[in-house]
Amino acid sequence: PEGYCDSLWSFYGDSSRTYLSGTQENRAYSPVSLYMALSMLAECTSGESRSQILSLMNAPDIETLRTQAGQVWNANYCDDGAIKSVLANSVWLSDDLETNSGTLGTLAKSYYASVHSGEFGSDEMTQAIRGWLNEQTGGLLKDQASGLEFTPETVMALATTIYYRAKWSQEFSKSQTSEGVFYAESGDITCDFM
């Protein structure tokens, strides 16, 4: 919906600055993925923990956050043949964890999250999480997912993905790459510009 992201810009800007600052290495960051994960986490908490998450996300209450998360989801979903932008959320729970069916229902309904349970630290659970990540991203995270490990002490994991595939509106031409100066916080760097 038009204007849905007006209240989200400060979260996107603040979190991007925090994650991407202080390093010279290349990083990829998705504020939408973090937003969805933190929104789901807020649903799983209460009291001071929930208040802190809501404050971080600039949401006055959990109902507003739920509405905004739904708008983020719907605004970023597209699968029309030319563009594919698909979000996926999941909650992974230890078999030993007592769960609240109301919270799990809210995660499924408001965040489109699938819910899974098993024994963290087991090969079966680890493979299930890796498989889910690979399935949701068309195998693009195979190398990263293969490094995921969970200890038996883990009680819950939240996973959120975005699979995006589209053509550039203007195709990249390697012949138009040239050297230039990038003015970094730590000093000027000569690098290739596309």
Side-chain angles (χ1 to χ4, degrees):
E2 189 172 322
Y4 88 94
C5 65
D6 294 346
S7 62
L8 307 177
W9 282 118
S10 63
F11 171 79
Y12 290 165
D14 292 345
S15 63
S16 294
R17 268 188 303 282
T18 300
Y19 182 75
L20 298 173
S21 66
T23 184
Q24 299 245 346
E25 66 186 44
N26 287 329
R27 288 186 175 177
Y29 169 67
S30 169
V32 171
S33 288
L34 180 60
Y35 188 88
M36 295 307 289
L38 287 172
S39 296
M40 291 191 301
L41 183 60
E43 291 288 352
C44 299
T45 62
S46 61
E48 184 63 25
S49 295
R50 180 178 280 179
S51 294
Q52 289 174 347
I53 296 169
L54 292 173
S55 175
L56 174 70
M57 301 182 73
N58 303 308
D61 53 56
I62 194 70
E63 292 79 17
T64 301
L65 183 61
R66 230 177 258 149
T67 299
Q68 288 175 338
Q71 291 172 334
V72 167
W73 180 280
N74 290 314
N76 286 281
Y77 183 89
C78 180
D79 192 2
D80 64 7
I83 297 174
K84 185 170 186 167
S85 176
V86 179
L87 283 69
N89 294 322
S90 63
V91 181
W92 301 81
L93 304 167
S94 169
D95 283 336
D96 299 333
L97 185 67
E98 285 188 37
T99 58
N100 179 316
S101 61
T103 300
L104 296 180
T106 298
L107 291 170
K109 181 180 176 188
S110 298
Y111 303 91
Y112 309 98
S114 58
V115 179
H116 312 268
S117 66
E119 183 183 336
F120 281 102
S122 71
D123 189 54
E124 182 181 342
M125 182 74 140
T126 300
Q127 293 305 322
I129 295 170
R130 290 175 181 170
W132 184 88
L133 289 168
N134 286 321
E135 181 182 340
Q136 301 308 317
T137 60
L140 293 175
L141 296 178
K142 195 171 233 167
D143 291 341
Q144 293 82 356
S146 69
L148 283 177
E149 296 290 336
F150 296 91
T151 66
E153 293 77 28
T154 304
V155 294
M156 181 177 79
L158 300 173
T160 179
T161 62
I162 299 175
Y163 177 79
Y164 183 82
R165 184 180 181 106
K167 291 188 175 209
W168 292 96
S169 59
Q170 296 179 354
E171 291 286 330
F172 168 69
S173 173
K174 191 173 182 176
S175 66
Q176 293 185 2
T177 299
S178 61
E179 275 194 356
V181 177
F182 180 76
Y183 302 98
E185 190 174 291
S186 60
D188 298 349
I189 302 169
T190 302
C191 55
D192 290 336
F193 284 79
M194 298 188 296

